[in-house]
Amino acid sequence: VVIIADMWGRRQVGSNSWIFESAFSNTVQWLEQHVSHVVVVGQVPELPVAQMGDLSIFIQKKFHRNGGTLPQLSEPPEVTQARHYTLALFQTYSNITVIDPDPVFQNTNHTVRYFNGRHILYGDNNHLNSFGSLELEPALEPLFKELTGR
């Protein structure tokens, strides 16, 4: 079993999208010949903060400016568009399993769910920390049970 995860969004959309599509197709074809199962995990929503910035400090400042209310953070629209493009591409392959993290990390009002009531879930703008990774467990557990026959 091979699980592929990446920051798919920004670099795949635009004039070079055909390069990504071709490379991804070639990768999937090669993997199908060498492994029993291919799983692709879609990109988690990005937070609108500097990539290497300290997320907790950013949120803490916004929290205090908002009168003690956690800020609602929305992903930049071009990133959402790019993520959805790659997810739709992945879903055209009937021979791979696609895990979409959106239901876990996107609120119904389309803001990013970066806090679970106890912990911040991101380490920076596009990487989950250990708490965020645990939030994906319910999405991954059925897959692992199926693959292990348990």
Side-chain angles (χ1 to χ4, degrees), residues 15 33 72 141 148:
S15 60
Q33 297 171 11
Q72 292 191 8
E141 189 173 28
T148 60

Side-chain angles (χ1 to χ4, degrees), residues 4-9 11-12 20 40-44 90 126:
I4 306 171
D6 196 0
M7 185 177 169
W8 304 106
R11 63 189 134 165
Q12 277 55 275
F20 172 73
V40 176
V41 180
Q43 179 182 328
V44 297
F90 301 152
N126 63 46

Side-chain angles (χ1 to χ4, degrees), residues 85-135:
Y85 163 80
T86 55
L87 193 63
L89 172 67
F90 301 152
Q91 291 169 338
T92 65
Y93 290 83
S94 60
N95 50 347
I96 64 175
T97 300
V98 179
I99 305 294
D100 179 7
D102 265 9
V104 177
F105 297 103
Q106 196 152 58
N107 296 314
T108 55
N109 66 355
H110 301 292
T111 59
V112 179
R113 181 178 167 262
Y114 63 88
F115 185 73
N116 69 0
R118 297 180 63 199
H119 303 286
I120 291 175
L121 306 176
Y122 282 70
D124 62 17
N125 73 332
N126 63 46
H127 291 96
L128 300 175
N129 59 25
S130 58
F131 298 112
S133 296
L134 288 173
E135 296 288 314

